[in-house]
Amino acid sequence: MLRTGLFLIFLLLSSVFCLEDSTEEFEEHLSIKSLKDGRVAFSFTFKTLLRDAIPRDPRTLAFDNDDSQHYTLFPLTLGQILRQYAITELHLTLNAGKWNYDAWGYPDEPDVGVGAELRAWMAGDSISSIDDRWQGVRNALAGLFCASLGSLDEQRTTSPRSTFPPEGALPDWGLPHELRHASHASEHVCTENLTPFLKLLPCKSRSGLAMLLNPHRIFDADWHGIGLHVIWRPEGVEVRLSVQLVSDPLRVSGQKKQDWSFSSLFDRKVEKACPIAKSSRVSVELPSSGVYRVYPEPPQVKDGIAHYDLKNANEVWDIGTMWPTDFEYPLSKPNPALVPFSVRRNLLGSTQDRGQLSIVLTNNEQDVLQLLYLETMPWIIQFYLHTIRVHADDALRDDLISNISYILPIPHARPATFETVLTLPGQSTITFTMDVAKAFLRYTEHPPDAQRGWDLPPAIFTPLRQSSHNSTNLGKRVYSPSLLVDLATPDFSMPYNVIIFTCSVVAFIFGSVFNVLTRKFIVVRLEPQKRSESSPSKNLDSDESGKPDTSKSNVH
Amino acid sequence: MRLLSLSFSLFTFILLLSLSQSHASSQHTNNWAVLVCSSRYWFNYRHMANALGMYRTVKRLGIPDSNIILMLADDAACNERNSFAGSVYANPGRHLDLFGENIEVDYRGYEVTVENFLRLLTGRLPPSFPRSKRLLTDSSSNIFIYLTGHGGNEFLKFQDNEEVSAHDIADAFHQMYEGGRYNEIFFMVDTCQANSMYSKFYSPGILATGSSVVGENSYSHENDYDIGVAVIDSYTHYVLEYMEKVNKTSRLTMADLFTSYDVPKIGSHPGVRSDLFDRPLGPEHPMNEYGRGRGWTVEGGGEWVGREMEAEKRGRGLREALITDFFGGVVEVDVDGEGESVLQLFEDFECPPVFKEPTPPPIKTYSPPPPAPVSSTSLFDEYPFLRPSLAFVILGALFAFVFSGVISRRS
């Protein structure tokens, strides 16, 4: 009896411990920063952590018996895509606008390249299996996010060696991991991309911080971007969904004050806390100068950042900042500079068969800066590497460029991958120029709006830092703006013109030859006394004096 | 013996006849919609508004996003020229935002091509295409196909770059028929000379309507001076205005929709083609007058191919074609073949009169939900381990009580 009693007590204890479920966690965080030019930068981060989960080993893809996926908070559609293609790490961003690093500093999420950018780390023992899975994950994400990611085919896919290290850990299966990166700078972002994004959140947009995501205001912002990041950490698989935007309260409100609040910028307030969020926080970075008021009163202010906890919110949250005086636009650049270096990238030249790629880099700091410069140029722009010239203050400096890694473009098949290290002396400006040739496309390769031109993906600059144990660390990435290249377009009406013209000429020649060969011209004598009872047509013929009646000849 | 076999064969013959008759009036079990806007560029805003208006109507009447394929050749809502970001309006007062906050566009931008459209219809897509971009219909699906854009005599322009001809669409529909990919198709097209687009169909089960006869243009309806372009085409505007009267349980027939065409308002002569469609379009009286009322200046009445067959279809006693057969989700599903019992429910339902001037729908203003009542935090929320430990104690006491009772009874 004692043994059965102990067994029952053991059963009860174990059932008690099973009632606590901590395999999935969801956290949300909003970081707000007032920028010097009157704008406000918002960065929403929604993190779902699936504890003790491991990405799928690609060797198990041959067997179809994957573990069944039962999630409560982790999005199932995304989990299915990740496991079907055995993806270890995935980053997808859909951005619109130009991130102004000089005025706004670094963004919270570094991937701010315009358009769609997708990169994935996949393990595999053969290149073909990785490429097949890359195509599969592109199309699956295109269907999930209503974006044309299917067009990120091999003409836009590269594998840069150094610029994109994995953000998380890579499992050690004894298989090499490969990176695939593709970008499409002319991709539009609109509500149809935000709708499935919100459906990946556990609370959707009904409660918590996602209540603020009003598409009419997000897509009106000066810069906006949504991002999906899947990372494997030792704790488990983390899915991080981010929405970043830079709003202009001066434009939205039409007043001269840079006051902003949730209701004025998003037309929404946080009315309900997401009940399953482990933490739901808002951090407002307090401006360092000026007289202002942050409302409601922040319960905690640390290091110049006001923290609000919305987890146990019973009230409606409408966080905002008010200034008593009108806004004065800063007339000088911020000092010290918000970013250590500034980038300007242009395509020079006025012809449609060649041009010059020009990068102007300014080092805002005193120390020498080394930058890793990545260019993933589509094959329509072909580089001439022997024409690379680096000038620092009008003097040719060949020592400022080193470690060139170049993968040749294959026309109609592969873009160019160009990685090099540029050295910037302190407080100087260097100019990197390279001659390029523009391709002449086949008639069928032009997009429907061919006269617009082609968007070129942004170049990526990563500062290199020598750390103490002689290995280089990568700093925060900087994306240059995209370029628009105007390629020679043919006259699209020419095939129609040629067909019409050729057919007309052929018909004319054939018709004339046929007539000459088959028609017989005879002379028809007209009797003068039959004129009174003749047909009207004969009367007409007799008016033309003496001409043979050719219209009657085809009776034969 | 002979009599027995004869009677048996007669019986099977009658049975097959009745079965074939019931097959002709077999109901669909799911609804799909393919809405295509084939024009690009900002000045074709109205074509995107056309397709989005149909999208909203079709969603409101019950077809879910998973069964709608929406193809928009350009981005009007988040276009840099759009002063009202994220919104597409179909009327100058900007009362109703068609884009909304919950929309899924399946094919957008450069993906809207003739090849993709025909592959979508015939189902010949590469295996890499995701599920949301496929037309997963079966032989009991009713499909509503709506095309809008610039067109002409037997062609429709895609993205100002290529054309699809009426022959191509007719062949695609026949491939769908051969493959059992539809039960019935309702084909609506709003372009210039739209009636020529359905003139080449040859597969059974297709009902078609267009906005203008051959040689005639279709016109836009209204401009908005803040958006800066025309916001809706007039044929689609009047069709959508009529559809606002229809709800999920409505018994309005296709005849009601077609006889609501008002030529002086629309500005062109719409047409109907029902010779390939084997069900009657509606009650006798209104449809007889189709094309013969005021404004129909075309010789011989409005274009209706299949007018002569209408009486014969009615004579066969088949079910009339309802608007909700194509525009909405399935409300009554005939599982055991006894559809009559469900129809009994609608005996006393009064259909609205057909010739009444449609009243504009009331403008719905969104009022935010009232704030949730303040809930007090209970003890269980503050100490999360309290609930399981309390359960353990109570269950343990119960078991101990039961066991002690059992033990004492035994001993």
Side-chain angles (χ1 to χ4, degrees):
Chain A
M1 187 219 138
L2 189 65
R3 253 188 279 146
T4 49
L6 278 173
F7 175 65
L8 279 167
I9 291 168
F10 167 71
L11 266 180
L12 282 167
L13 272 171
S14 57
S15 66
V16 157
F17 283 115
C18 290
L19 287 169
E20 283 288 316
D21 190 21
S22 63
T23 54
E24 294 179 53
E25 287 167 14
F26 174 67
E27 292 174 358
E28 49 182 25
H29 178 229
L30 167 61
S31 158
I32 306 174
K33 195 162 86 172
S34 288
L35 301 166
K36 286 278 184 329
D37 57 356
R39 294 185 173 89
V40 188
F42 291 88
S43 173
F44 293 82
T45 312
F46 304 96
K47 260 192 246 192
T48 309
L49 178 66
L50 187 65
R51 277 197 187 278
D52 305 324
I54 302 173
R56 186 171 177 187
D57 191 333
R59 288 171 294 208
T60 63
L61 282 173
F63 324 110
D64 215 13
N65 54 352
D66 191 26
D67 307 329
S68 50
Q69 300 169 56
H70 297 291
Y71 307 126
T72 48
L73 304 179
F74 194 84
L76 179 62
T77 45
L78 191 61
Q80 282 174 335
I81 293 175
L82 292 170
R83 290 201 77 84
Q84 190 182 354
Y85 300 108
I87 306 288
T88 305
E89 188 169 307
L90 182 76
H91 299 271
L92 168 67
T93 51
L94 292 163
N95 304 324
K98 179 177 104 105
W99 184 274
N100 189 350
Y101 284 94
D102 299 327
W104 302 342
Y106 281 117
D108 283 351
E109 296 279 344
D111 300 329
V112 293
V114 72
E117 190 186 349
L118 174 67
R119 66 174 190 279
W121 280 94
M122 289 177 281
D125 44 7
S126 72
I127 300 292
S128 63
S129 88
I130 291 183
D131 285 335
D132 289 339
R133 280 153 51 202
W134 171 242
Q135 190 198 28
V137 75
R138 267 184 357 237
N139 285 298
L141 287 173
L144 178 62
F145 280 99
C146 298
S148 4
L149 301 176
S151 61
L152 295 174
D153 51 8
E154 73 273 358
Q155 293 196 29
R156 295 183 195 270
T157 305
T158 55
S159 297
R161 269 191 347 194
S162 328
T163 309
F164 297 110
E167 198 180 316
L170 298 178
D172 186 15
W173 291 313
L175 294 170
H177 269 87
E178 293 235 352
L179 169 71
R180 291 286 182 267
H181 172 265
S183 65
H184 191 46
S186 48
E187 179 75 10
H188 290 273
V189 190
C190 205
T191 314
E192 65 262 20
N193 304 116
L194 189 67
T195 306
F197 178 90
L198 291 175
K199 289 183 182 163
L200 295 179
L201 296 171
C203 284
K204 315 287 186 275
S205 62
R206 305 245 195 93
S207 60
L209 292 173
M211 282 189 83
L212 295 173
L213 296 176
N214 183 0
H216 301 286
R217 295 305 180 97
I218 292 181
F219 299 114
D220 196 26
D222 288 12
W223 186 94
H224 58 268
I226 63 179
L228 162 73
H229 306 274
V230 179
I231 302 159
W232 182 57
R233 296 197 196 285
E235 304 92 74
V237 172
E238 177 189 283
V239 163
R240 196 171 74 234
L241 294 159
S242 72
V243 178
Q244 295 188 93
L245 65 146
V246 174
S247 317
D248 192 357
L250 292 154
R251 172 169 66 87
V252 168
S253 65
Q255 295 165 359
K256 290 198 195 135
K257 291 199 181 161
Q258 55 171 138
D259 300 349
W260 62 267
S261 67
F262 284 168
S263 47
S264 77
L265 285 182
F266 293 110
D267 205 22
R268 301 236 184 118
K269 300 171 195 165
V270 181
E271 287 161 19
K272 275 187 290 188
C274 183
I276 44 178
K278 186 171 149 199
S279 75
S280 180
R281 299 175 295 124
V282 176
S283 315
V284 181
E285 191 177 304
L286 302 169
S288 48
S289 62
V291 179
Y292 55 88
R293 181 173 86 90
V294 176
Y295 60 90
E297 196 62 41
Q300 190 194 15
V301 178
K302 205 166 71 168
D303 298 331
I305 299 179
H307 294 277
Y308 295 85
D309 185 12
L310 270 60
K311 171 87 174 88
N312 303 313
N314 298 328
E315 57 204 79
V316 173
W317 285 93
D318 187 12
I319 298 175
T321 311
M322 273 172 45
W323 273 265
T325 55
D326 288 349
F327 175 66
E328 281 183 20
Y329 197 85
L331 295 170
S332 58
K333 280 197 183 167
N335 193 14
L338 296 168
V339 194
F341 63 98
S342 315
V343 175
R344 239 188 22 238
R345 184 173 78 141
N346 286 359
L347 200 59
L348 308 174
S350 55
T351 61
Q352 281 179 332
D353 66 335
R354 72 185 91 96
Q356 197 181 56
L357 184 68
S358 144
I359 317 263
V360 176
L361 289 158
T362 310
N363 190 353
N364 300 325
E365 295 185 340
Q366 297 284 352
D367 304 325
V368 170
L369 187 60
Q370 282 207 316
L371 291 178
L372 180 64
Y373 161 45
L374 170 70
E375 193 78 71
T376 56
M377 191 61 77
W379 64 268
I380 53 178
I381 299 286
Q382 279 136 18
F383 294 161
Y384 287 112
L385 291 193
H386 71 284
T387 59
I388 291 179
R389 303 279 177 267
V390 182
H391 293 265
D393 304 322
D394 293 333
L396 191 66
R397 297 278 300 270
D398 282 335
D399 56 314
L400 294 182
I401 179 168
S402 62
N403 292 60
I404 294 181
S405 147
Y406 183 53
I407 299 177
L408 280 162
I410 299 178
H412 312 285
R414 190 174 74 186
T417 314
F418 177 71
E419 264 182 310
T420 182
V421 175
L422 295 171
T423 311
L424 275 71
Q427 292 286 341
S428 67
T429 303
I430 73 164
T431 309
F432 168 100
T433 56
M434 177 165 59
D435 288 352
V436 299
K438 300 179 190 174
F440 188 70
L441 295 178
R442 294 172 184 160
Y443 172 76
T444 50
E445 282 176 344
H446 287 277
D449 53 350
Q451 278 75 21
R452 181 179 180 267
W454 292 77
D455 284 296
L456 300 176
I460 302 164
F461 296 88
T462 321
L464 294 170
R465 279 194 203 99
Q466 281 294 124
S467 67
S468 57
H469 32 272
N470 219 10
S471 64
T472 50
N473 272 346
L474 296 176
K476 290 192 186 176
R477 283 194 286 277
V478 166
Y479 283 76
S480 76
S482 65
L483 295 172
L484 191 63
V485 65
D486 194 18
L487 297 179
T489 51
D491 183 359
F492 289 102
S493 66
M494 274 317 287
Y496 166 78
N497 295 343
V498 166
I499 292 170
I500 294 291
F501 191 68
T502 314
C503 290
S504 306
V505 166
V506 165
F508 183 71
I509 293 175
F510 171 74
S512 309
V513 168
F514 182 76
N515 275 338
V516 165
L517 290 176
T518 57
R519 287 192 186 181
K520 200 163 79 167
F521 297 99
I522 60 166
V523 177
V524 175
R525 296 252 176 251
L526 297 171
E527 301 281 338
Q529 58 267 27
K530 286 202 183 149
R531 207 176 285 182
S532 52
E533 61 228 43
S534 62
S535 59
S537 61
K538 271 215 168 140
N539 267 332
L540 274 164
D541 296 329
S542 59
D543 283 342
E544 298 163 351
S545 51
K547 267 198 195 159
D549 191 3
T550 54
S551 68
K552 297 257 189 266
S553 64
N554 51 11
V555 170
H556 302 270
Chain B
M1 189 60 192
R2 235 198 216 169
L3 196 67
L4 198 69
S5 64
L6 193 73
S7 60
F8 180 70
S9 55
L10 195 70
F11 168 72
T12 50
F13 173 73
I14 292 169
L15 187 73
L16 282 169
L17 200 68
S18 61
L19 278 174
S20 64
Q21 269 206 342
S22 66
H23 174 74
S25 64
S26 69
Q27 286 208 31
H28 57 288
T29 59
N30 55 81
N31 282 88
W32 282 75
V34 177
L35 310 168
V36 179
C37 159
S38 64
S39 340
R40 159 174 283 276
Y41 304 119
W42 175 244
F43 52 83
N44 291 321
Y45 181 101
R46 62 187 188 280
H47 295 147
M48 284 169 259
N50 288 349
L52 288 167
M54 283 295 171
Y55 174 78
R56 183 190 162 268
T57 300
V58 145
K59 250 177 105 159
R60 177 177 65 85
L61 292 174
I63 302 186
D65 262 323
S66 54
N67 285 18
I68 302 177
I69 304 278
L70 179 62
M71 301 173 75
L72 296 179
D74 200 2
D75 184 18
C78 296
N79 199 316
E80 293 88 0
R81 287 182 163 97
N82 196 353
S83 324
F84 309 98
S87 311
V88 172
Y89 297 104
N91 48 17
R94 293 189 301 278
H95 299 301
L96 182 62
D97 173 26
L98 296 175
F99 217 66
E101 289 161 20
N102 195 358
I103 181 171
E104 285 181 17
V105 181
D106 301 296
Y107 286 82
R108 59 180 204 158
Y110 296 142
E111 292 173 337
V112 179
T113 59
V114 173
E115 182 186 345
N116 279 353
F117 174 59
L118 295 176
R119 280 184 184 276
L120 169 79
L121 289 179
T122 54
R124 296 175 195 276
L125 290 165
S128 57
F129 258 61
R131 228 182 129 83
S132 61
K133 288 188 174 171
R134 291 174 184 267
L135 192 63
L136 302 167
T137 51
D138 52 27
S139 56
S140 59
S141 307
N142 275 12
I143 314 178
F144 168 52
I145 299 182
Y146 176 76
L147 301 178
T148 182
H150 288 288
N153 197 352
E154 292 178 11
F155 72 89
L156 173 69
K157 250 193 339 179
F158 265 70
Q159 303 229 23
D160 209 22
N161 190 24
E162 50 182 359
E163 297 158 3
V164 67
S165 85
H167 298 272
D168 295 331
I169 302 183
D171 289 338
F173 281 173
H174 199 68
Q175 281 193 44
M176 291 171 77
Y177 169 69
E178 298 279 344
R181 282 169 66 80
Y182 70 90
N183 177 35
E184 282 166 351
I185 287 181
F186 178 46
F187 181 78
M188 184 186 277
V189 53
D190 185 359
T191 66
C192 300
Q193 306 188 51
N195 295 356
S196 59
M197 284 303 285
Y198 59 69
S199 56
K200 298 288 176 228
F201 293 160
Y202 54 95
S203 320
I206 302 180
L207 175 66
T209 179
S211 63
S212 49
V213 293
V214 172
E216 192 181 40
N217 289 340
S218 289
Y219 295 99
S220 68
H221 183 65
E222 276 173 315
N223 299 341
D224 181 309
Y225 294 104
D226 291 322
I227 297 177
V229 285
V231 292
I232 192 84
D233 276 334
S234 75
Y235 172 76
T236 306
H237 170 80
Y238 286 105
V239 168
L240 290 175
E241 200 178 74
Y242 184 80
M243 296 302 296
E244 288 292 317
K245 293 184 347 176
V246 180
N247 58 23
K248 289 187 191 185
T249 56
S250 162
R251 307 295 291 176
L252 290 171
T253 58
M254 280 296 176
D256 298 326
L257 173 65
F258 296 144
T259 47
S260 75
Y261 290 160
D262 192 346
V263 171
K265 285 188 184 170
I266 293 179
S268 53
H269 295 83
V272 174
R273 177 173 182 179
S274 65
D275 60 334
L276 297 166
F277 192 65
D278 57 358
R279 290 197 285 146
L281 298 177
E284 181 171 341
H285 175 70
M287 210 56 202
N288 273 348
E289 295 306 307
Y290 176 76
R292 297 196 174 117
R294 64 190 169 99
W296 289 96
T297 55
V298 175
E299 286 272 328
E303 183 183 301
W304 177 13
V305 180
R307 190 191 288 265
E308 318 73 40
M309 304 162 64
E310 188 69 12
E312 185 254 342
K313 285 182 209 167
R314 246 177 257 126
R316 278 197 268 148
L318 299 166
R319 214 169 54 87
E320 290 169 353
L322 303 176
I323 292 181
T324 48
D325 279 349
F326 297 102
F327 275 88
V330 178
V331 176
E332 33 181 302
V333 178
D334 219 24
V335 177
D336 51 357
E338 289 180 346
E340 297 307 314
S341 56
V342 183
L343 286 169
Q344 291 288 330
L345 291 170
F346 295 96
E347 285 266 288
D348 45 349
F349 179 83
E350 226 183 24
C351 296
V354 176
F355 289 106
K356 204 169 81 173
E357 196 73 18
T359 51
I363 297 168
K364 270 205 163 137
T365 51
Y366 173 71
S367 51
V374 175
S375 60
S376 55
T377 49
S378 63
L379 201 65
F380 288 127
D381 287 342
E382 281 180 72
Y383 302 105
F385 208 69
L386 188 60
R387 183 171 283 170
S389 48
L390 206 63
F392 162 62
V393 164
I394 291 171
L395 280 170
L398 199 67
F399 266 79
F401 177 72
V402 167
F403 252 73
S404 61
V406 165
I407 300 298
S408 61
R409 199 160 293 195
R410 275 206 189 152
S411 61

